[in-house]
Amino acid sequence: MTATASEVPAEAHFRFFELEVLRTRRLGHSFLRVTFGGESLAGFRSGGWDQSLSLFLPVGDAEHTVLPSTDEDTWFGAWRAVPDAERPVMRSYTVREQRRTEEGAVEVDIDFVLHGDSSPASRWAGRAVPGRRIMAIGPAVAANKSVRFQLPAGTDAVWMYADETALPAAAAILQALPEGTPVHAWFEVPHEDDRLELATSAKAEITWIVRADSGPGRTERVLTEIRGTELPAAAAPYGWIAGEAGTVRAVRRHMVQERSVNRRAVRFTGYWRLGASEEQLLAEAYAGQAPSEDPDSAL
Ligand SMILES: Cc1cc2nc3c(=O)[nH]c(=O)nc-3n(C[C@H](O)[C@H](O)[C@H](O)COP(=O)(O)OP(=O)(O)OC[C@H]3O[C@@H](n4cnc5c(N)ncnc54)[C@H](O)[C@@H]3O)c2cc1C
């Protein structure tokens, strides 16, 4: 029997890995897939679904990430003690896929949204070339707390909302759902060309929302689309919402208050927040201002 996340001591869930860029591939206007390898990935155990991990990016244009400590118990204090300008930037991403090659090596794909050169992760991905190495804290056991999509037994339908940052997670979820599961998904992307082909054996209806407004008006557009969709009747539906924090909050409020979905059967995570870098979100979380159920959440 596979252990569940709550049966494995939390400190054993994650450890440091060194990821080496093997190749990159453009998937659509906004997406760049970076495929990583490296010997340390032998111990990497993605739990699938929306498995996330934390990346540590090199300082400035350095080729590799150097961390002050990779000791699981003490790294955080050592990392925080580094002066701002010299501290490797930490960012949350999704394991789009983990696989084993014919030669037995482990490869991991991460799909980065390219949203400009002034944001560290987007900038790093846009310049990624084979041989560059970054550090990550990732899963050492498949049943870990960074898999948020937990399909309850008896679920008879799934609904999902994702923007482009959560599309890699949504794509992995669609790929893993049992055959024939009825799914309705709203996927919001910046460009027509970001409507990716998504493999699934679920019975998936996908509504693509191509964004016209990149400011606050985007949320209203999403709500209009969602309000206009009739979901098929289901006795035990499960919902998953991820993307920009303001839109995530509004979609959850709509589903819980206007459609009376069971709030316990909805998993929601803010992946980023308009106008705030991940450092600012972390600073709020440390100061206890982030009203979130989830340590990674931008809500
Ligand atoms: C659990 C989890 C999983 C995630 N998985 C992925 C993933 O697989 N792929 C992915 O691309 N992202 C993913 N994200 C989101 C990603 O962590 C954020 O977009 C992050 O802010 C990107 O870092 P950055 O250095 O590029 O920008 P930051 O320095 O953090 O932000 C700089 C500015 O850019 C804005 N910004 C951030 N992201 C975007 C965006 N996508 N479009 C437009 N403006 C933006 C911010 O509001 C801020 O104003 C995930 C987040 C979480 C919490």
Side-chain angles (χ1 to χ4, degrees):
M1 199 174 88
T2 313
T4 64
S6 56
E7 288 163 350
V8 180
E11 65 276 13
H13 286 181
F14 305 102
R15 68 173 182 77
F16 280 95
F17 296 92
E18 188 174 51
L19 310 184
E20 180 177 339
V21 177
L22 297 180
R23 56 188 175 273
T24 64
R25 181 159 73 92
R26 199 72 182 230
L27 301 179
H29 184 280
S30 309
F31 296 101
L32 182 83
R33 172 161 299 167
V34 181
T35 298
F36 295 96
E39 281 174 15
S40 85
L41 281 179
F44 194 89
R45 301 275 183 277
S46 172
W49 304 102
D50 54 349
Q51 174 76 66
S52 64
L53 79 177
S54 295
L55 302 180
F56 295 84
L57 304 166
V59 176
D61 286 326
E63 298 217 342
H64 312 303
T65 307
V66 180
L67 287 173
S69 163
T70 54
D71 178 291
E72 272 81 27
D73 297 325
T74 58
W75 73 268
F76 187 71
W79 174 75
R80 289 268 286 166
V82 176
D84 287 356
E86 295 156 35
R87 187 185 309 126
V89 166
M90 179 166 65
R91 292 288 182 265
S92 304
Y93 278 83
T94 300
V95 178
R96 173 64 185 84
E97 187 170 280
Q98 172 179 355
R99 66 186 161 270
R100 205 168 269 282
T101 64
E102 283 177 8
E103 294 74 36
V106 174
E107 290 187 354
V108 166
D109 292 333
I110 298 181
D111 293 349
F112 290 81
V113 174
L114 301 179
H115 64 95
D117 235 18
S118 54
S119 306
S122 175
R123 176 183 164 87
W124 179 85
R127 289 169 164 65
V129 289
R132 295 261 160 115
R133 295 194 304 272
I134 56 174
M135 298 300 294
I137 295 184
V141 295
N144 66 72
K145 291 179 191 300
S146 292
V147 178
R148 297 165 183 80
F149 188 97
Q150 300 283 342
L151 197 64
T155 298
D156 58 355
V158 171
W159 58 268
M160 312 163 80
Y161 159 80
D163 74 4
E164 65 273 29
T165 64
L167 192 61
I173 291 169
L174 279 177
Q175 211 167 323
L177 278 170
E179 188 174 350
T181 309
V183 181
H184 195 100
W186 294 276
F187 293 149
E188 183 199 5
V189 290
H191 290 271
E192 280 291 335
D193 189 28
D194 294 325
R195 296 153 44 119
L196 304 181
E197 285 286 328
L198 303 173
T200 183
S201 56
K203 216 169 122 231
E205 285 269 329
I206 298 176
T207 305
W208 290 98
I209 305 168
V210 179
R211 186 178 304 135
D213 173 357
S214 59
R218 54 198 283 167
T219 300
E220 219 23 70
R221 169 84 202 287
V222 169
L223 287 178
T224 303
E225 284 288 347
I226 294 181
R227 283 198 179 100
T229 311
E230 182 114 15
L231 288 178
Y238 180 67
W240 180 89
I241 311 172
E244 195 283 319
T247 307
V248 166
R249 245 193 334 262
V251 172
R252 177 175 182 266
R253 199 178 306 123
H254 163 73
M255 296 308 280
V256 170
Q257 293 181 359
E258 295 177 38
R259 296 211 188 198
S260 305
V261 306
N262 174 1
R263 65 174 67 235
R264 288 199 201 86
V266 182
R267 192 70 205 243
F268 64 102
T269 313
Y271 273 22
W272 62 289
R273 198 169 75 202
L274 207 54
S277 70
E278 206 166 317
E279 279 79 36
Q280 289 168 293
L281 299 171
L282 276 174
E284 286 177 17
Y286 300 143
Q289 296 161 10
S292 163
E293 56 160 18
D294 187 329
D296 284 341
S297 176
L299 285 175

